[in-house]
Amino acid sequence: MKIEQIANLTDHLPAFVDMLVRTVANGASIGFHAPLDEAEAEAYWHDVNAALKTGQLWMLVALAGNKVIGAVQLEPCMKANGLHRAEVQKLMVHPDARGIGVGRNLMIALEALALEKGRTLLMLDTATGDIAEGLYARMGYSRVGTVPQYTVEADGTFGNTTIFYKHLDPEDG
């Protein structure tokens, strides 16, 4: 597995669309409802690509050979009082690559990227009860709390989200 920062998704667009559609279909709560239409997934990745090009977003991709098996995004705060922080977004692992450490390795690389960019505070949220909660806790993220009724699910019910943060040590970078 190789993890690299990516600034243009064009060469891998079909793989990103497939990964997003399949990840959502497998129950990931990353802002979409299943079944996710390929056109909607492609439109999402075009928006991400535009944000990457302007520096509003940084992204890492995990590759097995040339196959996209995971991705994670980091949105840097651009406010004068928040240049030390960033928000972790859309950690996803292709369903065919789960259980082999892709998510953990992406997060390790993301923390290194954050430090490289001068970001020492990372924030994130995840669906309460999601498997990702355990990953973040094992990686040293502190649980802030739960926001009830944060999302509206496909069936109209509400879902809760849990917020985490982690201070990164520049000496580790």
Side-chain angles (χ1 to χ4, degrees), residues 21-39:
V21 168
R22 294 193 54 205
T23 300
V24 170
N26 279 270
S29 177
I30 51 177
F32 301 95
H33 291 145
L36 177 61
D37 178 88
E38 284 190 15

Side-chain angles (χ1 to χ4, degrees), residues 46-97:
H46 283 294
D47 290 346
V48 168
N49 209 29
L52 292 172
K53 289 177 181 178
T54 62
Q56 295 171 314
L57 194 64
W58 303 320
M59 186 168 151
L60 296 174
V61 61
L63 301 163
N66 288 328
K67 181 176 170 52
V68 173
I69 59 171
V72 66
Q73 300 166 29
L74 191 63
E75 181 179 17
C77 180
M78 299 302 206
K79 296 174 184 159
N81 70 350
L83 298 176
H84 67 294
R85 69 179 186 255
E87 181 181 349
V88 178
Q89 300 176 348
K90 303 289 189 273
L91 173 62
M92 65 183 83
V93 176
H94 194 288
D96 294 344

Side-chain angles (χ1 to χ4, degrees), residues 2-9 12 16 19 45 48 52 57-63 68-75 88-93 102-117 122:
K2 176 174 71 169
I3 296 178
E4 60 187 40
Q5 186 174 0
I6 191 167
N8 187 335
L9 307 178
H12 296 290
F16 281 108
M19 180 172 63
W45 287 117
V48 168
L52 292 172
L57 194 64
W58 303 320
M59 186 168 151
L60 296 174
V61 61
L63 301 163
V68 173
I69 59 171
V72 66
Q73 300 166 29
L74 191 63
E75 181 179 17
V88 178
Q89 300 176 348
K90 303 289 189 273
L91 173 62
M92 65 183 83
V93 176
V102 176
R104 178 175 170 69
N105 286 320
L106 279 165
M107 289 301 294
I108 290 168
L110 186 83
E111 290 176 8
L113 175 64
L115 283 171
E116 177 185 312
K117 303 282 190 178
L122 299 183

